[in-house]
Amino acid sequence: MAEITEKDGNTPGQGAAQEPTRVESDSERVDKSAPTITHHITPKTGADAALELLRETGSLHQPLDPEMLYLHGADFLQYIDKTAISYASVTGIAESTGLKGNEFNWVASIFFFGQLAFEFPTIRLIQMFPLAKYASVNVTLWGATLACLAACKNYAGLLACRFFLGVLEAAVVPAWVLFTSQWYTKEEQAFRVGIWFSTCGAAQMFGGFFAYGVATRVGKDPNAALKGWQIIFLFLGLLTAVVGIAFWFIMPDSPAHARFLDKEQKGLHLERIRHNEQGIGSKTFKWDQVKEALTDTMTWLYAFWIFAGNVPNSIATSFGNILVRGMGYTNEESLLLVTPLGAWEIVALIGLTYGAMKTKQRLYFCIAGHIPAIVGAVLMATTERVPALVGYYTSGGIPIGWTTILGLQSSNVAGSTKKVTVACIGTIAYTVGNIISPQTFQARDAPRYLPAKISICIIYVLITIDLIVMRWVLKRRNKRRDQDKLAQGNTYLELEENHEFLDLTDLQNKEFRYEI
């Protein structure tokens, strides 16, 4: 049994009457008159890695945003790599590889078949191997695979590369959710997820400008050694591979392995995230947590939004440029005209998640972000050119739902195995929605694709209702736990000391309260 005694910096004779050095998070109050506290920590099988550090130290540390910038950079490249196929669609890929009919749709869709096929293996591998190292390998290999797309000469080659690209990107969302829960408090997580997801908007802008430059400078040169679409894949792929290699050396696997923190600072950080009631991860795979994830109502409410919300996703990814071109603009104009969608996405995501963090009302702000998206979907379906283009831009607010779900999965799902299982189910829902997405844009419906636009209107309404149901369920759970604790009074059984780091699930830990 290990023992931790918390003291202030005074001499031994003075320390007993002074307050402990444990400084609580923003949501807690420091007890000025508290006596010296002695923690007795008994190691538990399958408990959280944080217990090892708590045997030696503990207190408070600020979030380490500079190091988290590497997450934003990798997410930026992940999104732009995924949407590179849209830029290729108007820079000659169909002509160079002989695509016809709906073959481009399947080139877009097969990416998500690869992601779906490898989702369950990747969540187990995330637990088996150091998190940052595993993510680094995936980022590096997906960059190499993207670069290989430049060498494709036919439909079969494109399908193979896109499939393996999906396999390698299967780890991104589960890994990023775990990173976020390790480094930030529950109150901070929604805004941080909003920040790293807003890099998708930045990628939309950069990608559009970059592809426009390639299309106008290289695409019109008949003597160029490489086609415009080949340059796009080659440049982005090699850049991603370099970032993936750097990720190995820079990003820590967890706070317990952060080289830029000494042992005392690591303990300070663990105390800071103690009230998350989640710890920093356990490598023990627990089948009871898998069962709980599968029977938890919230798992499927999350999954429905993720599935349905991603069915229209092609308007921003694979078919964005084709859709804008169908509004009456040229190929080159479409590359520039998709960029304001990214700008709106950045403003909406950062603004709404910041408001959610300050007011502690994540789902209300999320619902508010869906309203202009619904209006935008109606404009796209009923108008043309400028009004339709404005509607296309305002639909960029819908990712606030995706970021809110990711934030809720990070904050509201406890238990290492349950967390990765819920994230896995969500990513499966994401892949299935994205597999369906390009198929809603059938060649026979070009150039307006009206059936797809009508389906988007309906889906946006349904996922807004889903958010309302989520809030009702979570608020009801919190209220029931508060009532039970009040009703039991002095007979209420407190959980054992350091229960926050015993890898309990949110349903097992009665002290857990859900963010709404």
Side-chain angles (χ1 to χ4, degrees), residues 378-418:
V378 173
L379 286 174
M380 281 197 294
T382 58
T383 63
E384 295 182 4
R385 289 192 70 85
V386 175
L389 193 61
V390 171
Y392 174 73
Y393 296 150
T394 59
S395 69
I398 211 67
I400 182 62
W402 186 208
T403 61
T404 299
I405 301 302
L406 290 176
L408 291 175
Q409 287 179 341
S410 178
S411 303
N412 287 349
V413 182
S416 294
T417 303
K418 181 179 181 181

Coordinates of all heavy atoms in Angstrom, one line a residue, residues 378-418:
V378 N -33.0 24.3 -47.2 CA -34.2 24.7 -47.9 C -33.9 25.6 -49.1 O -34.4 25.4 -50.2 CB -35.2 25.4 -47.0 CG1 -36.4 25.9 -47.8 CG2 -35.7 24.4 -45.9
L379 N -32.9 26.5 -48.9 CA -32.5 27.4 -50.0 C -31.8 26.6 -51.1 O -32.0 26.9 -52.3 CB -31.5 28.5 -49.4 CG -32.2 29.6 -48.6 CD1 -31.1 30.5 -48.0 CD2 -33.1 30.4 -49.4
M380 N -31.0 25.7 -50.7 CA -30.3 24.9 -51.8 C -31.3 24.1 -52.6 O -31.1 23.9 -53.8 CB -29.3 23.9 -51.1 CG -28.0 24.5 -50.7 SD -26.8 23.2 -50.4 CE -27.4 22.4 -49.0
A381 N -32.4 23.6 -52.0 CA -33.4 22.8 -52.7 C -34.3 23.6 -53.5 O -34.9 23.1 -54.5 CB -34.2 22.0 -51.7
T382 N -34.5 24.9 -53.2 CA -35.6 25.7 -53.8 C -35.1 26.8 -54.7 O -35.9 27.5 -55.3 CB -36.6 26.2 -52.7 OG1 -35.8 27.0 -51.8 CG2 -37.3 25.1 -52.0
T383 N -33.8 27.1 -54.6 CA -33.3 28.3 -55.4 C -32.1 27.9 -56.2 O -31.6 26.8 -56.1 CB -32.9 29.5 -54.4 OG1 -31.9 29.0 -53.6 CG2 -34.1 29.9 -53.6
E384 N -31.5 28.9 -57.0 CA -30.4 28.6 -57.8 C -29.4 29.8 -57.6 O -29.7 30.8 -57.0 CB -30.7 28.5 -59.2 CG -31.6 27.3 -59.6 CD -31.9 27.2 -61.0 OE1 -31.4 28.0 -61.8 OE2 -32.7 26.3 -61.4
R385 N -28.2 29.6 -58.1 CA -27.0 30.5 -58.0 C -26.8 31.2 -56.7 O -26.6 30.5 -55.7 CB -27.2 31.5 -59.2 CG -26.9 30.9 -60.6 CD -26.8 32.0 -61.6 NE -25.6 32.7 -61.5 CZ -24.4 32.4 -62.0 NH1 -24.2 31.2 -62.6 NH2 -23.3 33.1 -61.8
V386 N -26.9 32.5 -56.6 CA -26.5 33.2 -55.3 C -27.3 32.7 -54.1 O -26.7 32.4 -53.1 CB -26.6 34.7 -55.5 CG1 -26.3 35.4 -54.1 CG2 -25.6 35.2 -56.5
P387 N -28.7 32.7 -54.1 CA -29.4 32.2 -52.9 C -29.0 30.8 -52.6 O -28.9 30.4 -51.4 CB -30.9 32.3 -53.3 CG -30.9 33.4 -54.4 CD -29.6 33.2 -55.2
A388 N -28.9 29.9 -53.6 CA -28.5 28.5 -53.3 C -27.1 28.5 -52.7 O -26.8 27.6 -51.8 CB -28.6 27.7 -54.6
L389 N -26.2 29.3 -53.2 CA -24.9 29.4 -52.7 C -24.8 29.8 -51.3 O -24.1 29.3 -50.4 CB -24.0 30.3 -53.6 CG -22.5 30.2 -53.4 CD1 -22.0 28.8 -53.7 CD2 -21.8 31.3 -54.3
V390 N -25.6 30.8 -50.9 CA -25.7 31.2 -49.5 C -26.2 30.1 -48.6 O -25.7 29.9 -47.5 CB -26.7 32.5 -49.4 CG1 -26.9 32.8 -47.9 CG2 -26.0 33.7 -50.1
G391 N -27.2 29.4 -49.1 CA -27.7 28.2 -48.4 C -26.7 27.1 -48.2 O -26.6 26.5 -47.1
Y392 N -25.8 27.0 -49.2 CA -24.7 26.0 -49.1 C -23.8 26.4 -48.0 O -23.3 25.6 -47.3 CB -24.0 26.0 -50.5 CG -22.7 25.2 -50.5 CD1 -22.8 23.8 -50.5 CD2 -21.5 25.8 -50.6 CE1 -21.7 23.0 -50.5 CE2 -20.3 25.0 -50.6 CZ -20.4 23.6 -50.6 OH -19.3 22.9 -50.6
Y393 N -23.5 27.7 -47.9 CA -22.6 28.2 -46.9 C -23.2 28.0 -45.5 O -22.5 27.5 -44.5 CB -22.3 29.7 -47.1 CG -21.5 30.0 -48.4 CD1 -21.6 31.2 -49.0 CD2 -20.6 29.0 -48.9 CE1 -21.0 31.5 -50.2 CE2 -19.9 29.3 -50.1 CZ -20.1 30.5 -50.7 OH -19.4 30.8 -51.9
T394 N -24.5 28.4 -45.3 CA -25.0 28.3 -43.9 C -25.2 26.8 -43.5 O -25.3 26.6 -42.3 CB -26.4 29.0 -43.9 OG1 -27.3 28.5 -44.8 CG2 -26.2 30.5 -44.1
S395 N -25.2 25.9 -44.4 CA -25.3 24.5 -44.0 C -24.0 24.1 -43.3 O -23.9 23.0 -42.7 CB -25.5 23.6 -45.3 OG -24.3 23.6 -46.1
G396 N -23.0 24.9 -43.4 CA -21.7 24.7 -42.8 C -21.8 24.7 -41.2 O -20.8 24.3 -40.6
G397 N -22.9 25.1 -40.7 CA -23.1 25.1 -39.2 C -23.4 23.8 -38.7 O -23.3 23.6 -37.5
I398 N -23.8 22.8 -39.5 CA -24.2 21.5 -39.0 C -23.1 20.7 -38.3 O -23.4 19.9 -37.4 CB -24.8 20.7 -40.2 CG1 -25.9 19.7 -39.6 CG2 -23.8 19.9 -40.9 CD1 -27.2 20.4 -39.1
P399 N -21.8 20.9 -38.6 CA -20.8 20.2 -37.9 C -20.8 20.5 -36.4 O -20.1 19.8 -35.6 CB -19.5 20.6 -38.6 CG -19.9 20.9 -40.0 CD -21.2 21.6 -39.8
I400 N -21.5 21.5 -35.9 CA -21.5 21.8 -34.5 C -22.2 20.6 -33.8 O -21.8 20.3 -32.7 CB -22.4 23.1 -34.2 CG1 -22.4 23.3 -32.7 CG2 -23.8 23.0 -34.7 CD1 -21.1 23.6 -32.1
G401 N -23.1 19.9 -34.5 CA -23.6 18.7 -33.9 C -22.6 17.6 -33.8 O -22.5 16.9 -32.7
W402 N -21.8 17.4 -34.8 CA -20.7 16.4 -34.7 C -19.7 16.7 -33.6 O -19.3 15.8 -32.9 CB -20.1 16.4 -36.1 CG -19.0 15.3 -36.4 CD1 -18.0 15.5 -37.3 CD2 -18.9 14.0 -36.0 NE1 -17.3 14.3 -37.4 CE2 -17.8 13.4 -36.6 CE3 -19.6 13.2 -35.0 CZ2 -17.4 12.1 -36.3 CZ3 -19.2 11.9 -34.8 CH2 -18.1 11.4 -35.4
T403 N -19.3 18.0 -33.5 CA -18.4 18.3 -32.4 C -19.0 18.2 -31.1 O -18.3 17.8 -30.1 CB -17.9 19.8 -32.6 OG1 -19.0 20.7 -32.5 CG2 -17.2 20.0 -33.9
T404 N -20.3 18.5 -31.0 CA -21.0 18.3 -29.7 C -21.1 16.9 -29.3 O -20.8 16.5 -28.1 CB -22.4 18.9 -29.7 OG1 -22.3 20.3 -30.0 CG2 -23.2 18.7 -28.4
I405 N -21.3 16.0 -30.2 CA -21.4 14.6 -29.9 C -20.0 14.1 -29.5 O -19.9 13.3 -28.5 CB -21.9 13.7 -31.2 CG1 -23.3 14.2 -31.6 CG2 -21.9 12.3 -30.9 CD1 -24.3 14.1 -30.6
L406 N -19.0 14.5 -30.2 CA -17.6 14.0 -29.8 C -17.3 14.6 -28.4 O -16.7 13.8 -27.6 CB -16.6 14.6 -30.9 CG -16.6 13.9 -32.2 CD1 -15.7 14.6 -33.2 CD2 -16.3 12.4 -32.2
G407 N -17.7 15.8 -28.2 CA -17.4 16.4 -26.8 C -18.2 15.6 -25.8 O -17.7 15.4 -24.7
L408 N -19.4 15.3 -26.0 CA -20.2 14.5 -25.1 C -19.7 13.1 -24.8 O -19.7 12.6 -23.7 CB -21.7 14.4 -25.5 CG -22.5 15.8 -25.5 CD1 -23.9 15.6 -26.1 CD2 -22.6 16.3 -24.1
Q409 N -19.2 12.5 -25.9 CA -18.6 11.2 -25.8 C -17.3 11.3 -24.9 O -17.0 10.4 -24.1 CB -18.2 10.6 -27.1 CG -19.4 10.1 -27.9 CD -19.1 9.6 -29.3 OE1 -18.0 9.8 -29.8 NE2 -20.0 8.8 -29.9
S410 N -16.6 12.4 -25.1 CA -15.4 12.5 -24.3 C -15.7 12.8 -22.8 O -15.1 12.3 -21.9 CB -14.6 13.7 -24.9 OG -13.4 14.0 -24.1
S411 N -16.7 13.7 -22.6 CA -17.1 14.1 -21.2 C -18.0 13.2 -20.5 O -17.9 13.0 -19.3 CB -17.7 15.5 -21.3 OG -16.9 16.4 -21.9
N412 N -18.9 12.6 -21.2 CA -20.0 11.9 -20.6 C -19.9 10.4 -20.6 O -20.8 9.7 -20.0 CB -21.4 12.3 -21.2 CG -21.8 13.7 -20.8 OD1 -21.2 14.3 -19.9 ND2 -22.8 14.2 -21.5
V413 N -18.9 9.8 -21.2 CA -18.7 8.4 -21.3 C -17.5 8.0 -20.5 O -16.4 8.4 -20.9 CB -18.6 7.9 -22.7 CG1 -18.5 6.3 -22.7 CG2 -19.8 8.3 -23.6
A414 N -17.6 7.3 -19.4 CA -16.5 7.0 -18.5 C -16.3 5.5 -18.6 O -17.2 4.7 -18.9 CB -16.7 7.4 -17.1
G415 N -15.0 5.1 -18.3 CA -14.6 3.7 -18.4 C -13.9 3.5 -19.7 O -14.4 3.8 -20.8
S416 N -12.6 3.1 -19.7 CA -11.8 3.2 -20.9 C -12.4 2.3 -22.0 O -12.4 2.7 -23.1 CB -10.4 2.7 -20.5 OG -9.7 3.6 -19.7
T417 N -12.8 1.1 -21.6 CA -13.3 0.2 -22.7 C -14.6 0.7 -23.2 O -14.9 0.6 -24.4 CB -13.5 -1.2 -22.1 OG1 -12.2 -1.7 -21.7 CG2 -14.0 -2.2 -23.2
K418 N -15.5 1.2 -22.3 CA -16.8 1.7 -22.7 C -16.5 2.9 -23.6 O -17.2 3.1 -24.7 CB -17.6 2.1 -21.5 CG -19.0 2.7 -22.0 CD -19.9 3.0 -20.8 CE -21.3 3.5 -21.3 NZ -22.2 3.9 -20.2

